[in-house]
């Protein structure tokens, strides 16, 4: 009898032990998002390095120098590479060969786009010798911003004489181009990366343009402004949105908000110094929680279901940089489900990576170019990694010595 009791006791104890250990083993077997991301980044880096041109750049015939710039930033942003690596130095030498006397870094067209992306790439290198080049380029970018101080006029004689003009504070493709949210966010990325503080007049002027991109009638004086908190492409020329427009029951015109511009708007407001308590930031965050998805660029299908994948990797890159700046790892959707954006983005991007280490998307907006799209994906993963190190998931711990502290929204 005693043997039976002893045996039963052993079995019960073993069962309890197994029941206690199994969940821990299940957790241990789950993929580590940090390791998954770093492995994907490494594969992306290898793919990009393999296609560097003999001149040091990454441009195909006809491509702008911004392609080389964004690739360089994808290499140096994570800290693994710098200008001591020969192939990186060669790339920067090629990029800087495009800098003009006026400070711009471009060739023939898209002056703001190219110069802004180049500034971000140069700043990411943390190379002291680049500082004069960056300062010259930043001065050029400031000169492109539409304010009462902008010289000359637009292609149809447009002039900005005061901040009542919807062009005020924005950037276009060049000195006299119509401003839009994409050019604006890249210019502000450049100013932020170059170390300019939110009090700089360029940010404050940009904030007026950004606020006019938002469907927030309390803070947007444009007649088409709705109230969903999202952002459109541009308030210029009576407004435009790649998600199309609609009409209210009262016959009023409204522009639809969409994902990539909403994250661009949120990020730009953060860089301009707005806090989470600002009603514009709150409204943008509410739109994001209501429209959380990584399956498409949300809002775009409202104009045409075939557009849902347009700008998808640009969306991922903008989303990751914006959410890292916002400093909130968890997003709660309308059903109450919580989403760790870092983990979900890493899962999505690793699932989309090609066997050769590249990513490729829809041909709209050059996203059929694997060099550009792979750079977008690597940069997005790097933002997720940076945020994960700041705020590890509950099941992970990162040594304090490995945690970096980027400039984030308080």
């Amino acid at each position: 009898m005693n043997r039976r009791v002893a045996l039963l006791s052993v079995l019960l104890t073993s069962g309890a032990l197994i029941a206690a250990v199994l969940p821990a083993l299940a957790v241990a077997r789950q993929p580590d998002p940090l390791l998954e991301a770093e492995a994907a980044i490494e594969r992306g880096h290898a793919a990009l390095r393999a296609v560097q041109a003999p001149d040091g750049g990454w441009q195909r015939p006809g491509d702008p120098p911004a392609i080389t710039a964004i690739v360089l930033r994808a290499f140096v942003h994570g800290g693994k590479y710098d200008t001591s690596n020969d192939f990186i130095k060669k790339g920067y030498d090629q990029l800087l060969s495009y800098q003009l006397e006026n400070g711009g870094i471009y060739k023939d067209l898209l002056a703001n786009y190219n110069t802004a992306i180049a500034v971000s790439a140069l700043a990411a290198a943390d190379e002291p010798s680049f500082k004069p080049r960056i300062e010259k380029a930043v001065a050029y970018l400031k000169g492109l911003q539409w304010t009462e101080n902008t010289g000359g006029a637009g292609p149809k004689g447009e002039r900005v004489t005061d901040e009542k003009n919807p062009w005020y504070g924005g950037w276009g493709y060049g000195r006299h181009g119509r401003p839009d949210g994409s050019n604006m966010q890249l210019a502000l990325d450049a100013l932020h990366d170059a170390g300019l503080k939110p009090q700089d007049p360029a940010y404050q002027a940009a904030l007026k343009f950004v606020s006019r991109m938002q469907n927030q009638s309390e803070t947007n004086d444009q007649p088409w402004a709705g109230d969903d908190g999202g952002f459109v492409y541009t308030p210029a020329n009576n407004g435009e949105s790649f998600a199309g427009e609609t009409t209210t029951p009262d016959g009023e015109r409204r522009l639809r908000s969409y994902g990539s511009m909403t994250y661009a708007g949120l990020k730009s407001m953060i860089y301009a110094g707005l806090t989470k308590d600002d009603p514009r930031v709150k409204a943008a965050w509410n739109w994001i929680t209501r429209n959380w998805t990584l399956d498409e660029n949300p809002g775009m299908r409202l104009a045409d279901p075939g557009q849902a994948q347009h700008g998808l990797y640009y969306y991922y890159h903008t989303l990751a940089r914006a959410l890292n700046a916002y400093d909130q790892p968890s997003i709660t959707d309308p059903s109450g489900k919580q989403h760790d954006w870092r983990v979900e983005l890493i899962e999505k991007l690793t699932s989309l990576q090609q066997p050769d280490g590249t990513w490729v998307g829809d041909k709209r907006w050059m996203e059929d170019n694997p060099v550009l799209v792979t750079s977008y994906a690597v940069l997005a993963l790097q933002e997720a990694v940076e945020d994960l190190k700041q705020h590890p998931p509950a099941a992970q711990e990162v040594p304090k010595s490995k945690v970096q502290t980027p400039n984030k929204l308080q």
Side-chain angles (χ1 to χ4, degrees):
M1 181 64 70
N2 289 339
R3 289 182 178 180
R4 291 181 180 178
V5 171
L7 180 60
L8 181 59
S9 177
V10 168
L11 290 173
L12 289 173
T13 302
S14 300
L17 181 61
I18 291 169
V21 169
L22 281 178
L25 291 175
V27 170
R29 283 195 295 268
Q30 290 178 353
D32 182 330
L34 199 57
L35 296 177
E36 292 278 304
E38 289 175 341
I41 290 168
E42 187 173 342
R43 291 193 296 270
H45 279 162
L48 289 170
R49 189 167 180 180
V51 294
Q52 185 178 23
D55 64 8
W58 276 269
Q59 298 140 242
R60 302 180 302 191
D63 282 348
I67 297 293
T68 291
I70 197 169
V71 173
L72 286 168
R73 186 166 185 270
F75 272 110
V76 303
H77 180 64
K80 184 176 180 180
Y81 299 97
D82 57 33
T83 52
S84 67
N85 299 104
D86 288 342
F87 80 100
I88 295 293
K89 183 181 182 302
K90 191 174 181 180
Y92 276 110
D93 288 343
Q94 174 65 7
L95 176 63
L96 286 169
S97 73
Y98 290 98
Q99 188 162 33
L100 306 175
E101 284 299 316
N102 63 13
I105 305 173
Y106 64 97
K107 183 180 180 181
D108 301 328
L109 71 166
L110 305 179
N112 177 70
Y113 239 72
N114 282 272
T115 303
I117 295 171
V119 167
S120 289
L122 290 165
D126 196 23
E127 168 58 53
S129 65
F130 291 165
K131 186 176 179 181
R133 301 280 205 141
I134 293 172
E135 290 175 347
K136 196 173 181 180
V138 166
Y140 177 75
L141 287 175
K142 286 187 172 185
L144 297 181
Q145 187 180 26
W146 280 103
T147 69
E148 63 272 21
N149 299 317
T150 304
K156 296 181 180 179
E158 299 91 347
R159 291 184 182 275
V160 173
T161 58
D162 57 51
E163 61 186 50
K164 294 179 182 178
N165 193 312
W167 289 38
Y168 187 89
W171 278 267
Y173 285 100
R175 181 167 294 281
H176 306 305
R178 181 227 59 199
D180 60 67
S182 187
N183 274 289
M184 176 276 307
Q185 75 142 334
L186 291 173
L188 291 190
D189 282 353
L191 299 188
H192 174 270
D193 295 343
L196 272 69
K197 303 301 181 185
Q199 296 76 24
D200 191 279
Y203 282 114
Q204 297 311 304
L207 188 53
K208 297 185 184 300
F209 184 83
V210 177
S211 296
R212 285 181 170 137
M213 289 172 57
Q214 189 174 25
N215 272 313
Q216 174 81 343
S217 61
E218 290 184 3
T219 53
N220 185 352
D221 59 8
Q222 298 304 290
W224 49 262
D227 288 294
D228 67 14
F231 288 69
V232 305
Y233 181 60
T234 181
N237 303 346
N238 201 28
E240 179 185 351
S241 173
F242 285 119
E245 57 185 67
T246 187
T247 305
T248 69
D250 297 331
E252 295 180 333
R253 175 175 174 260
R254 293 287 183 266
L255 300 181
R256 295 192 184 104
S257 304
Y258 63 105
S260 50
M261 281 302 100
T262 299
Y263 285 99
L266 173 66
K267 170 168 56 70
S268 298
M269 287 179 169
I270 292 169
Y271 289 168
L274 297 191
T275 67
K276 292 179 179 179
D277 293 331
D278 189 281
R280 290 164 290 184
V281 174
K282 285 183 176 180
W285 185 252
N286 287 337
W287 190 94
I288 287 167
T289 61
R290 293 194 307 271
N291 294 276
W292 172 253
T293 183
L294 294 173
D295 294 331
E296 60 185 69
N297 189 347
M300 291 289 288
R301 69 165 54 250
L302 297 176
D304 179 353
Q307 294 183 183
Q309 301 294 309
H310 287 181
L312 185 64
Y313 288 90
Y314 178 95
Y315 167 67
Y316 290 150
H317 175 218
T318 306
L319 172 151
R321 184 159 178 164
L323 293 180
N324 188 13
Y326 187 81
D327 204 23
Q328 171 60 48
S330 180
I331 294 172
T332 305
D333 68 22
S335 71
K337 181 179 179 181
Q338 289 195 337
H339 302 266
D340 186 320
W341 69 265
R342 298 89 46 87
V343 174
E344 292 188 13
L345 180 61
I346 289 167
E347 289 176 352
K348 172 59 72 171
L349 284 172
T350 53
S351 75
L352 295 172
Q353 191 171 26
Q354 303 295 309
D356 65 358
T358 64
W359 285 265
V360 65
D362 189 279
K363 69 177 182 178
R364 182 80 184 273
W365 297 316
M366 294 180 66
E367 292 207 353
D368 59 340
N369 181 340
V371 173
L372 174 63
V373 172
T374 300
S375 300
Y376 281 153
V378 167
L379 286 164
L381 288 168
Q382 288 170 340
E383 295 287 347
V385 166
E386 190 174 80
D387 200 273
L388 275 169
K389 289 180 178 179
Q390 272 288 298
H391 307 289
Q396 285 189 313
E397 291 185 5
V398 177
K400 290 184 179 179
S401 61
K402 294 185 179 181
V403 176
Q404 300 176 354
T405 307
N407 179 24
K408 295 192 176 184
L409 182 63
Q410 299 300 316

